[in-house]
Amino acid sequence: MARPEAQPGAASPGESGGREAFVDTRAIARNLLTLREAAGMPRVLAVVTGDAFGHGAVPVALAALEAGAEALVVARLAEAEPLRMAGITAPIVTWQHAADEDFVEAVRLDVTPAVNSVALARAAAAAGVRAVQLVPEIGGEQLGIPDDAWPSLCAELAEREHAGGPSVTGIMATVPERDDAAFARIDAAVARARETGLRPELVHVCEYEPARGLEHDAASAVRLGAALYGLSAYEAHVGRHAAAHPLHDVAALEPALTLTAPVLGLKHAPAGVGVSYGYTHVTERPTTLALVPLGYGDGIPRRSGNHTRAGIGGVNSPIIGRVAMDALVVDAGAAAEAGSATVSIGEPAQLIGSPDAGAWSAEDWAAALQTSSLDIVARLTTRVRRVIA
Amino acid sequence: MSGLTAAALTTAHIDLGALQHNIGVLRERAAPADFMIVLKADAYGHGAVPVAQAAAACGVRNFGALDIPNALTVLAAGLPSDSAVLAWLHMPSQDFTEAVDAGIELTASTVAELDRIAGSRSSRVPVVQFKIDTGLNRNGATAETWPALMSRAAVLEAAGRIRVKGVWTHIAEASEDEDTLAMRRFDDAIAVAATHGVHFSVRHLAASSAAFRRADVRYDMVRIGGHCWGIPSFDGVTPADMGLIPVMTLVSRVTAVAERASGVRLAEIAAGFLDGIPRESRGRVSVAIRGRRVGLDREIGHSSTLVEVTGSDIAVGDEVYLFGTGEHSEQTVREWGDRTGTLGDEIVSRVGARVPRIYSGTN
């Protein structure tokens, strides 16, 4: 598939001279291949909701499709629009719909709704969508169609399908933790659907437990979210899951996004001066303070001051004081003392870097702030310019 | 609530009437000082353009835009011709020509920055404000670099290459004494400028909190962000205590309910951290459904969040008030901020780009 804009390698980190998130779609493609191999499942769906978690839905979608994803997944119908506007023709699955959704937009955008109720299944069919998917209730975090309604709904949809109604192309399930009971319920739901004559050939589970797919027949595809971006969706995901399956070892993946902003100012500060609002940090010794134009208005957590770091002059230096809406301060004293030539105004400070290069990474941010790296990256606002390669 | 559409599951309702009410209260409080509305970070997530237009309609003429791209966006809103739009955060590579052409007022903190502003390729004379650091240790000239900056300003003004307008600073708000000290440093800087023959027609120091509290910090103008959105900056103070109304109400919908074997009834809300619910709000904040408070006690997902609603008649399609005015029993964003260890300002600024803003209350 043709790339409409930047050719690979055409952009490089820090080139705009402003607040900039550099997204390497080649890393996303490599992650997809790594994960497909690890999951033992050749079929992949790429979750690109929330503007691909802040990475840019269209370039990520193009890269994922080129790397072999067969469908895209977004939460809401409106999120399909920019993908279709970009000329993407691959299947797009949505899973969040209003109770009174009429699915007119789904028809216009040729979206495949994954429905979680009988009422929505009927509304989608009545609107004339080409395909639907079903979300069964399996006791997990995504509520679905209850067991008692499942067989009759499947029978009804099989009849409609036979009469030229929408094809039931798949079943969507979310199993965030190792949960044999949930997988047993997926198996049962698929079996019941098949009994009614439905042939949902795309049974997709989220990435967190796809290894189970090897052992049970029902799941045929893995739906890649956080891992596609080289990120983890839960706290301490690495430690909790790495041993269970290589898929959960995010170290084997490449974070696709790095974040830089230029040093706007450097100040020599004596010992004992307060920094930023509320003076939550007081310098312990004479040092060099670097002002970086990123703050909570850009999505840097306000509470990250005094807990996190930024790369300046090749040294991971502490972010000190309270992070303001538009700026934060880095204690660049160690880098300046080391005589680094790059502790100067206009040089990039790296807020989120590649762990391979020894930089402070999204996982480091997540560990310092007790959240997930997906949260750290996805919260970056539109004020940060995205540069796509 | 009007304006909800079937397809929009999670929406941010912006009451511009409440905004105009707040501006009226705050302007009266600050008078005779002039009033600048601060529109950075897309007006703290409220939408810089509609907010600027609503503020202009009730008489505001000073707009704080942070940076040149945002200032250009605000100007494109079609503000009255006597409006002033100020930018102060400039990238090292910044070219000022477009900004000077557009009539954006520019802040200079260093001689190099001032020279680049004066040296733009525009045929217009740039209007310049100057920033002094009075203790925050962020941007602004220091007491050491200030005399050289003022000396250069005098030369450029005499040569007709800039027009000097204002001087300003940010204060730390660590304590009243610290702020008083910052004010004395500000006065000193103005006195030093005078010895160089540089005089300012607009001096401004105070943002929401100090401007509301202390008359002596208001000088010629106050810069107000948070309070305009009805988010109090004072602990233990509600918007109503200050005569303010929260401007943003974040509303979602119940997309599923399920009874679990354990007897627990769950409802799925179509909002998660991509929509602006902080992950750290788990176990700390509540939402309102059918006028009843329901705690966000489970994992905040990226797009949806489950709540326990055992014993209630909550149903699919119900509106979920995440934060707002309290009209539907929901918490205010200030309460959300208090309970998650941050400011309401951060929470509203982070409401996701995919959440449609729906405006009401314009005249």
Side-chain angles (χ1 to χ4, degrees):
Chain A
M1 189 170 296
R3 282 171 195 275
E5 291 166 10
Q7 292 299 312
S12 59
E15 73 170 13
S16 78
R19 293 163 287 199
E20 180 187 292
F22 177 78
V23 178
D24 187 352
T25 59
R26 295 160 296 190
I28 287 169
R30 287 190 289 267
N31 288 338
L32 188 147
L33 298 175
T34 302
L35 290 158
R36 184 162 67 182
E37 177 75 23
M41 284 190 186
R43 305 184 67 179
V44 169
L45 294 83
V47 181
V48 296
T49 199
D51 199 27
F53 300 103
H55 294 68
V58 169
V60 168
L62 292 172
L65 292 168
E66 193 174 87
E70 65 180 272
L72 304 168
V73 185
V74 292
R76 300 170 196 164
L77 287 169
E79 298 185 275
E81 173 106 44
L83 299 169
R84 289 291 184 240
M85 292 288 282
I88 291 170
T89 56
I92 300 175
V93 178
T94 58
W95 81 87
Q96 251 182 12
H97 311 100
D100 53 354
E101 175 61 51
D102 61 14
F103 293 100
V104 170
E105 282 292 283
V107 173
R108 183 176 72 82
L109 295 166
D110 191 17
V111 160
T112 304
V115 295
N116 63 359
S117 73
V118 173
L120 287 177
R122 287 178 178 154
V129 299
R130 281 205 303 159
V132 292
Q133 299 193 355
L134 303 176
V135 180
E137 173 61 29
I138 57 168
E141 295 293 299
Q142 183 183 20
L143 306 187
I145 298 160
D147 291 345
D148 56 6
W150 182 262
S152 57
L153 176 65
C154 288
E156 179 183 331
L157 290 172
E159 239 172 71
R160 284 178 182 264
E161 191 179 83
H162 193 69
S167 306
V168 178
T169 59
I171 286 174
M172 176 181 194
T174 301
V175 190
E177 296 289 327
R178 180 170 290 276
D179 184 345
D180 291 338
F183 273 98
R185 292 182 71 174
I186 297 170
D187 285 346
V190 173
R192 296 300 298 272
R194 295 182 70 86
E195 281 169 19
T196 65
L198 293 178
R199 291 291 176 268
E201 43 97 24
L202 197 62
V203 178
H204 48 104
V205 295
C206 62
E207 70 210 34
Y208 315 120
E209 272 300 348
R212 298 284 296 154
L214 294 170
E215 300 162 28
H216 85 107
D217 303 329
S220 61
V222 60
R223 193 171 71 245
L224 297 176
L228 182 62
Y229 305 87
L231 300 170
S232 51
Y234 292 95
E235 287 88 343
H237 209 150
V238 186
R240 190 149 51 112
H241 289 285
H245 197 277
L247 193 57
H248 301 126
D249 181 7
V250 293
L253 302 172
E254 297 173 60
L257 182 146
T258 56
L259 175 67
T260 60
V263 173
L264 276 198
L266 289 167
K267 275 181 188 164
H268 297 290
V273 301
V275 177
S276 194
Y277 291 113
Y279 295 155
T280 62
H281 177 89
V282 175
T283 55
E284 287 171 4
R285 57 195 184 92
T287 189
T288 301
L289 303 180
L291 182 77
V292 177
L294 284 170
Y296 67 79
D298 302 287
I300 304 296
R302 181 170 172 273
R303 62 195 174 98
S304 59
N306 305 329
H307 299 290
T308 55
R309 290 172 181 270
I312 288 190
V315 178
N316 289 333
S317 309
I319 294 171
I320 55 170
R322 189 162 288 156
V323 170
M325 181 178 249
D326 315 301
L328 55 82
V329 176
V330 179
D331 185 341
E337 275 169 29
S340 170
T342 53
V343 183
S344 57
I345 289 172
E347 288 301 321
Q350 186 159 63
L351 276 286
I352 298 174
S354 165
D356 290 344
W360 188 257
S361 70
E363 293 294 328
D364 292 323
W365 278 84
L369 299 176
Q370 289 89 50
T371 188
S372 68
S373 54
L374 183 68
D375 180 33
I376 292 294
V377 169
R379 63 189 287 149
L380 297 175
T381 68
T382 53
R383 200 163 75 176
V384 176
R385 181 172 173 246
R386 266 60 169 187
V387 176
I388 312 292
Chain B
M1 181 170 286
S2 63
L4 282 175
T5 61
L9 283 163
T10 299
T11 47
H13 295 254
I14 313 292
D15 182 350
L16 295 173
L19 173 78
Q20 291 178 328
H21 165 86
N22 294 341
I23 289 171
V25 168
L26 297 164
R27 281 179 88 188
E28 192 178 313
R29 177 112 183 167
D34 208 345
F35 185 92
M36 172 189 279
I37 186 168
V38 178
L39 302 171
K40 56 193 192 174
D42 201 25
Y44 295 52
H46 293 69
V49 166
V51 164
Q53 288 167 335
C58 64
V60 173
R61 291 295 179 269
N62 287 284
F63 302 88
L66 180 71
D67 56 17
I68 290 168
N70 195 39
L72 291 167
T73 301
V74 169
L75 274 173
L79 300 177
S81 59
D82 57 339
S83 299
V85 180
L86 180 66
W88 59 90
L89 187 84
H90 313 307
M91 297 301 151
S93 55
Q94 190 79 53
D95 179 65
F96 291 100
T97 305
E98 189 182 8
V100 177
D101 277 340
I104 294 166
E105 295 186 0
L106 298 163
T107 297
S109 296
T110 66
V111 170
E113 207 165 60
L114 179 60
D115 281 344
R116 286 194 294 121
I117 292 168
S120 88
R121 298 185 307 283
S122 174
S123 56
R124 296 181 71 167
V125 176
V127 176
V128 182
Q129 300 207 23
F130 293 87
K131 190 162 184 202
I132 175 85
D133 186 340
T134 53
L136 208 52
N137 280 303
R138 297 195 317 179
N139 46 3
T142 61
E144 290 72 41
T145 61
W146 184 250
L149 181 61
M150 289 303 99
S151 170
R152 185 69 184 152
V155 169
L156 289 170
E157 186 170 44
R161 293 180 59 198
I162 63 167
R163 185 160 76 74
V164 174
K165 180 172 174 183
V167 61
W168 65 290
T169 188
H170 268 106
I171 55 173
E173 299 188 357
S175 69
E176 298 291 356
D177 288 349
E178 290 281 3
D179 289 352
T180 300
L181 188 60
M183 211 161 52
R184 296 289 77 83
R185 291 178 184 136
F186 189 53
D187 293 337
D188 289 347
I190 292 167
V192 167
T195 68
H196 288 86
V198 176
H199 302 280
F200 307 104
S201 59
V202 184
R203 304 159 299 158
H204 48 109
L205 170 144
S208 284
S209 178
F212 198 88
R213 225 173 42 236
R214 288 176 66 165
D216 62 341
V217 300
R218 293 176 190 147
Y219 290 82
D220 303 311
M221 185 166 73
V222 297
R223 302 184 306 267
I224 311 298
H227 286 179
C228 290
W229 331 121
I231 305 173
S233 57
F234 309 112
D235 292 342
V237 175
T238 67
D241 291 341
M242 298 174 65
L244 303 177
I245 305 168
V247 172
M248 182 190 288
T249 299
L250 190 62
V251 186
S252 186
R253 295 290 192 124
V254 173
T255 45
V257 292
E259 309 277 351
R260 289 283 157 87
S262 51
V264 171
R265 189 156 193 260
L266 297 174
E268 185 179 272
I269 299 171
F273 65 81
L274 291 177
D275 303 292
I277 304 178
R279 279 192 89 227
E280 55 272 22
S281 63
R282 176 181 184 171
R284 295 178 176 166
V285 310
S286 67
V287 300
I289 312 174
R290 297 195 177 194
R292 176 185 143 164
R293 289 274 177 95
V294 178
L296 292 184
D297 294 332
R298 299 169 70 106
E299 175 78 29
I300 310 296
H302 59 71
S303 296
S304 61
T305 301
L306 295 185
V307 290
E308 293 190 14
V309 295
T310 310
S312 84
D313 53 357
I314 285 166
V316 172
D318 281 356
E319 289 178 337
V320 181
Y321 289 85
L322 296 159
F323 57 76
T325 60
E327 186 188 340
H328 301 270
S329 305
E330 73 276 18
Q331 292 176 326
T332 65
V333 76
R334 162 81 212 212
E335 288 177 270
W336 273 40
D338 286 346
R339 287 157 188 268
T340 57
T342 188
L343 302 178
D345 301 25
E346 179 177 25
I347 295 171
V348 289
S349 298
R350 272 193 56 211
V351 168
R354 74 176 178 183
V355 176
R357 270 64 168 175
I358 296 175
Y359 294 91
S360 63
T362 38
N363 295 322

